């Protein structure tokens, strides 16, 4: 079977289209969509920083909660994407449609559970993270809005992955562009007030954000249902399918969830020096999205290519995809390293003019920037393991990277001072890159033959 998809009015095939050409067709729209999505936090932070410096600190503290929400939303979506692509590769359209429907149900359940848990734990989290009253007030007002209306990001993430699994990269991009534009337009209006609309302050940034997310949700769910990717007729909930989605998406969910946990841990360690160091870390994570988000877009583009050819039993195309993805990833992150090393002060001044924050941030940015290139290899390799049903390896490397190394190393380095604490990033990425390379070499030796086994459990 040759699965053919339509992209920008040109027909392409995951089965026989030249791999590099295929990646260059599929990846840019995903990169752009994710990059635009990242503007939510960046634009919010920029306008909030003009409203209140304590508000900027509050957004830095709530950033891990938003990441955890995104981890659950996109993780289950990635699991849906991988399964649908694998089923289509094996010419099993029925199972692909069942997976899409049950994934939508799972998105709604995830929203309800996350919203309830988030509202319950929001105040204790902020009380643990700060002793500044204004930071607490701003954080609670922003967080409550984000949590209550988070159904937008959960449903949109699922529908986006369903569309991407069938090769539609353009509609999700349009949805993200529309949502981001709405967010950018509404941010200053709701934060500072305009005409008859009163100033909502930091809470206004949250209102603008969820409005953009819900708009993107409507666009993607309309496209997914209209084109028959999600069908409601003669469908019912299937716990086994939901379990398979969680299983396929577990590496992505765990990776991003642990990312949240280690940021909380780093915030606590940095706060022992000064709250300005926490602000530096928050600014860093907003700026680094301009490089890591396109890398994530590359990962999402190669996931269906590798999954499809794994299901179709075409190992050479899998390895070619990995090779080209690593080359593109290294080029992208080399640019990031250069910018963080040579322009750190200019990056910091986008969000702050506080000389204490800039003094801390300049050496921090230069040190952290050295971790970008090894991180690219690791993240692309983890995507390869996930697409080829080697989720345990992906999870193991993720746990090594974000639990065993990052926070413990930061704690050890912190005893020598704040400057040394930033070395946590390059040290961790180099170690995990070496481990990933060894696991990948072992996998290739075991599965280099053309008669590669196919692991698909039909629903």
């Amino acid at each position: 079977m040759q699965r053919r998809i339509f992209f920008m009015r040109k027909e392409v095939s995951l089965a026989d289209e030249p791999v590099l050409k295929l990646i260059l067709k599929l990846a840019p729209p995903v990169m752009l969509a994710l990059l635009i999505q990242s503007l939510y936090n960046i634009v919010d932070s920029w306008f909030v920083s003009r409203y209140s410096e304590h508000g900027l600190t509050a957004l830095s503290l709530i950033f891990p909660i938003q990441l955890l929400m995104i981890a659950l939303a996109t993780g289950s979506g990635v699991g849906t994407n991988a399964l649908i692509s694998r089923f289509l590769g094996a010419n099993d359209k029925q199972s692909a449609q069942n997976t899409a429907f049950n994934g939508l149900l799972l998105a709604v359940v995830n929203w309800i559970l996350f919203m309830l848990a988030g509202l319950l734990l929001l105040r204790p989290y902020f009380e643990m993270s700060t002793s500044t009253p204004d930071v607490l007030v701003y954080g609670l007002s922003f967080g409550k809005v984000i949590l209550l209306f988070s159904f937008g990001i959960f449903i949109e993430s699922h529908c986006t992955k369903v569309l991407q699994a069938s090769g539609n990269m353009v509609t999700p991009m349009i949805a993200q562009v529309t949502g981001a534009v709405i967010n950018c337009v509404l941010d200053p209006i709701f934060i500072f007030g305009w005409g008859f609309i009163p100033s909502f302050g930091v809470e206004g940034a949250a209102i603008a954000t969820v409005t953009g997310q819900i708009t993107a949700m409507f666009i993607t769910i309309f496209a997914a249902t209209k084109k028959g990717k999600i069908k409601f007729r003669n469908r019912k909930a299937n716990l086994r399918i939901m379990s398979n989605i969680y299983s396929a998406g577990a590496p992505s969910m765990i990776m991003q969830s642990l990312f949240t946990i280690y940021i909380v841990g780093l915030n606590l360690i940095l706060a022992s020096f000064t709250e300005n160091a926490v602000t530096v870390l928050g600014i860093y994570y907003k700026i680094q999205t301009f490089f890591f988000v396109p890398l994530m877009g590359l990962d999402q583009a190669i996931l269906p290519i590798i999954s499809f050819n794994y299901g179709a039993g075409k190992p050479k195309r899998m390895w070619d995809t990995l090779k080209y993805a690593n080359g593109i990833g290294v080029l992208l992150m080399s640019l990031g390293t250069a910018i963080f090393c040579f322009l750190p002060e200019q990056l910091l001044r986008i969000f702050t003019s506080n000389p204490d924050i800039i003094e801390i941030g300049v050496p921090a940015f230069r040190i952290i920037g050295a971790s970008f290139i090894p991180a690219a290899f690791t993240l692309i390799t983890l995507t390869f393991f996930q697409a080829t049903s080697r989720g345990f390896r992906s999870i193991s490397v993720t746990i090594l990277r974000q639990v065993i190394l990052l926070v413990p190393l930061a704690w050890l380095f912190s005893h020598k001072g704040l400057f040394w604490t930033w070395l946590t990033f390059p040290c961790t990425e180099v170690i995990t890159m070496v481990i990933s390379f060894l696991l990948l070499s072992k996998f290739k030796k075991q599965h280099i033959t053309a008669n590669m086994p196919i692991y698909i459990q039909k629903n």
Side-chain angles (χ1 to χ4, degrees):
M1 173 198 177
Q2 291 187 358
R3 173 184 161 204
R4 308 195 73 82
I5 58 179
F6 286 91
F7 179 81
M8 299 296 286
R9 298 183 180 180
K10 292 184 179 181
E11 197 178 51
V12 299
S13 171
L14 296 182
D16 53 25
E17 186 87 5
V19 171
L20 180 58
K21 183 179 178 181
L22 187 58
I23 294 174
L24 294 178
K25 282 184 177 181
L26 298 183
V30 187
M31 290 179 177
L32 181 60
L34 289 176
L35 193 59
I36 291 170
Q37 185 180 37
S38 71
L39 289 176
Y40 283 105
N41 282 322
I42 295 171
V43 172
D44 285 348
S45 298
W46 190 84
F47 281 113
V48 167
S49 70
R50 268 57 187 169
Y51 179 81
S52 166
E53 192 168 288
H54 288 314
L56 180 60
T57 302
L59 263 61
S60 296
L61 290 174
I62 205 170
F63 185 56
I65 296 177
Q66 291 178 281
L67 287 177
L68 190 60
M69 178 168 60
I70 293 171
L72 186 58
T74 60
S76 56
V78 166
T80 302
N81 183 315
L83 288 177
I84 291 175
S85 295
R86 209 174 301 159
F87 286 129
L88 291 175
N91 197 21
D92 190 351
K93 186 177 180 180
Q94 183 67 27
S95 292
Q97 291 178 340
N98 286 338
T99 301
F101 173 77
N102 279 272
L104 180 60
L105 297 181
L106 201 57
V108 176
V109 172
N110 287 340
W111 162 61
I112 294 173
L113 294 177
F114 190 89
M115 176 189 64
L116 295 176
L119 291 174
L120 181 65
L121 299 174
L122 189 62
R123 178 175 286 273
Y125 167 73
F126 268 98
E127 290 177 342
M128 176 186 69
S129 303
T130 183
S131 58
T132 306
D134 285 348
V135 174
L136 176 64
V137 171
Y138 290 143
L140 291 177
S141 63
F142 187 92
K144 288 177 181 178
V145 174
I146 291 293
L147 290 167
L148 282 171
F149 296 94
S150 58
F151 63 85
I153 194 169
F154 278 99
I155 296 176
E156 182 271 326
S157 293
H158 168 75
C159 294
T160 288
K161 296 300 181 292
V162 170
L163 292 169
Q164 289 175 349
S166 59
N168 185 344
M169 307 294 178
V170 177
T171 301
M173 180 185 68
I174 293 172
Q176 293 297 339
V177 170
T178 304
V181 170
I182 289 174
N183 180 55
C184 292
V185 171
L186 295 182
D187 253 331
I189 295 174
F190 287 145
I191 293 174
F192 302 104
W194 184 70
F196 64 89
I197 300 176
S199 169
F200 291 98
V202 175
E203 186 179 22
I207 296 172
T209 294
V210 297
T211 302
Q213 291 171 346
I214 292 171
T215 302
M217 176 198 74
F218 280 121
I219 294 173
T220 54
I221 196 170
F222 176 77
T225 52
K226 182 180 179 181
K227 296 180 180 180
K229 307 304 178 185
I230 301 177
K231 293 185 176 180
F232 296 95
R233 191 174 181 179
N234 299 324
R235 295 284 187 269
K236 60 182 180 179
N238 187 314
L239 294 179
R240 185 161 61 89
I241 296 177
M242 293 183 185
S243 176
N244 290 340
I245 291 173
Y246 268 134
S247 178
S252 179
M253 281 187 278
I254 291 174
M255 181 171 66
Q256 294 188 61
S257 297
L258 294 178
F259 182 56
T260 301
I261 293 171
Y262 93 68
I263 290 179
V264 173
L266 288 178
N267 281 341
L268 294 174
I269 293 170
L270 293 173
S272 67
F273 293 102
T274 170
E275 211 167 66
N276 287 335
V278 176
T279 303
V280 167
L281 186 66
I283 293 174
Y284 158 72
Y285 276 114
K286 289 172 176 59
I287 297 175
Q288 61 94 31
T289 56
F290 281 105
F291 305 101
F292 276 91
V293 165
L295 183 65
M296 291 169 58
L298 177 63
D299 285 344
Q300 291 188 21
I302 67 172
L303 180 66
I305 300 174
I306 296 173
S307 293
F308 178 90
N309 286 285
Y310 178 71
K314 295 185 175 183
K316 185 179 184 303
R317 290 179 61 81
M318 287 169 35
W319 294 109
D320 285 345
T321 303
L322 178 66
K323 176 182 66 176
Y324 289 124
N326 273 319
I328 296 170
V330 168
L331 287 175
L332 177 66
M333 301 312 278
S334 296
L335 176 62
T337 298
I339 291 176
F340 268 79
C341 287
F342 294 109
L343 301 172
E345 183 173 345
Q346 289 84 345
L347 295 176
L348 288 159
R349 288 192 180 277
I350 295 173
F351 294 96
T352 184
S353 58
N354 187 320
D356 294 332
I357 294 176
I358 293 173
E359 183 181 358
I360 294 171
V362 167
F365 275 28
R366 285 174 174 158
I367 293 171
I368 297 175
S371 67
F372 285 10
I373 294 175
F377 178 84
T378 300
L379 294 177
I380 290 172
T381 302
L382 295 184
T383 299
F384 180 86
F385 286 145
Q386 189 174 353
T388 54
S389 296
R390 294 302 182 276
F392 179 76
R393 296 187 184 192
S394 185
I395 292 172
S396 298
V397 174
T398 299
I399 292 174
L400 171 69
R401 179 175 181 252
Q402 297 179 184
V403 176
I404 299 175
L405 292 177
L406 263 170
V407 175
L409 282 179
W411 179 78
L412 288 173
F413 286 141
S414 69
H415 288 81
K416 292 185 69 67
L418 179 58
F419 177 85
W420 285 81
T421 306
W422 305 116
L423 288 170
T424 299
F425 289 87
C427 290
T428 296
E429 297 299 355
V430 169
I431 293 171
T432 52
M433 179 186 69
V434 172
I435 299 298
S436 298
F437 177 79
L438 294 175
L439 290 174
L440 187 63
S441 298
K442 181 178 179 182
F443 178 89
K444 190 169 186 177
K445 289 178 181 178
Q446 294 173 341
H447 300 84
I448 195 65
T449 62
N451 296 320
M452 181 177 51
I454 301 175
Y455 298 95
I456 295 180
Q457 182 178 1
K458 293 190 177 183
N459 293 322

